[in-house]
Structure formats: structure tokens, C-alpha cells
Amino acid sequence: MATLTIIVAPDPRLKITAEAVASVDDDVRGLMDDMLETMHAANGVGLAAPQVGVAKRVIVIDVSNPDDPPQPMRLANPEIVWESEEMVGAEEGCLSLPEHYADVTRPERIRVRYLDGDNQPCEQEADGLLARCIQHEIDHLDGTLFVDHLSSLKRNIILRKLSKSRKQLAPA
Ligand code: NI
């Protein structure tokens, strides 16, 4: 396993539409394991392949409490097949938008269809943090960041701050 570099916005690689995988083979499984290691190292609860520069429809999630045993989820080609009419707002962050948080409104419950780490077709209903996390990560596969759900004013403030802090970090 290896820790990968997480791309920070604004970056064109975060705006692409990722390609479906043909199947979850050893390469995809290796990517999923590297992504889980990267996500855990960064104290994240979800990570999508485009965030590590891979344009594939692969996401990993672990919403378990830090004090409990990890519950890693590996999802390829995830697709939301049902969502509740009830919407709920909650604060979101993103490893590609470090140190920025905002309220995002999304369907409260969803049903997601995907291939798991053993290439088995699965369907799962989710609510709460898991439902929110799955929707946030699937957004990444279509080039959507959580700030894209905000007003353009709020979005531009966050993206401008990130651009500015990157310029300060960059070597002269
Ligand atoms: Ni994110």
C-alpha cells in the first residue's frame, strides 16, 4: 500500500468526469487500498479517485467512529438509484478543500448500487453521515465539489483563499 498525494482545489483534475471501470481487478483493488490508506492518514471519511489524479469511478468511505474498529467501504461505478424527497443540511468539508467547511443540503436517504472490492454487485440504503458522504464522493466523479452546491459568492471566496495559500506555499 502507498499514500497518494491529494489534489487541492482549484485544479482542473478535480473538474473531470471520471470513467467507469470495466471490473474491480487487482489494479482497481490496489487503488482502493491506497486510497483508504491515504484517506485514513488524512483523517478523512471519504475519498474519490479524481482527488488522487485517477479519472476512474472509484470511491472509498469509512464513517466509523475513530475509537471503533475501521469499517472501510470500497465502491466502484457507484450510482444513486433512489433518493428521499426529504432534504437535510449539514456541514461538509473535503480533503481537496482543506480547512473550509459549509452547510450543504442533500437528500436525507439514498440507495446506492455499486461493485464492491470483490467485484460483486451490491445495493445499499444509507442515511445520515454515510448517505451524505456517498453523495459527496459520487459528486467528485462528475467534477462537482461541495462548494459547487453553494452560492457563487461563497464558492469564490473559498477558492480564492485556497489559491492564495497555495501561492504562499509555492517555492519562489
Ligand atoms: Ni471531497
Side-chain angles (χ1 to χ4, degrees), residues 46-48 51 93-97 136-137 140 145-146:
L47 189 66
Q51 293 180 273
C94 179
L95 295 175
S96 293
L97 297 150
H136 175 119
E137 300 312 330
H140 276 298
L145 303 173
F146 83 77

Side-chain angles (χ1 to χ4, degrees), residues 87-94 100-106 132 136 145-151 154-155 158:
M87 306 286 281
V88 62
E91 191 172 74
E92 291 189 21
C94 179
H100 291 277
Y101 303 88
D103 255 38
V104 179
T105 300
R106 298 185 187 272
R132 175 166 298 277
H136 175 119
L145 303 173
F146 83 77
V147 289
D148 294 316
H149 292 279
L150 310 177
S151 68
K154 283 184 189 167
R155 174 168 61 248
I158 291 175

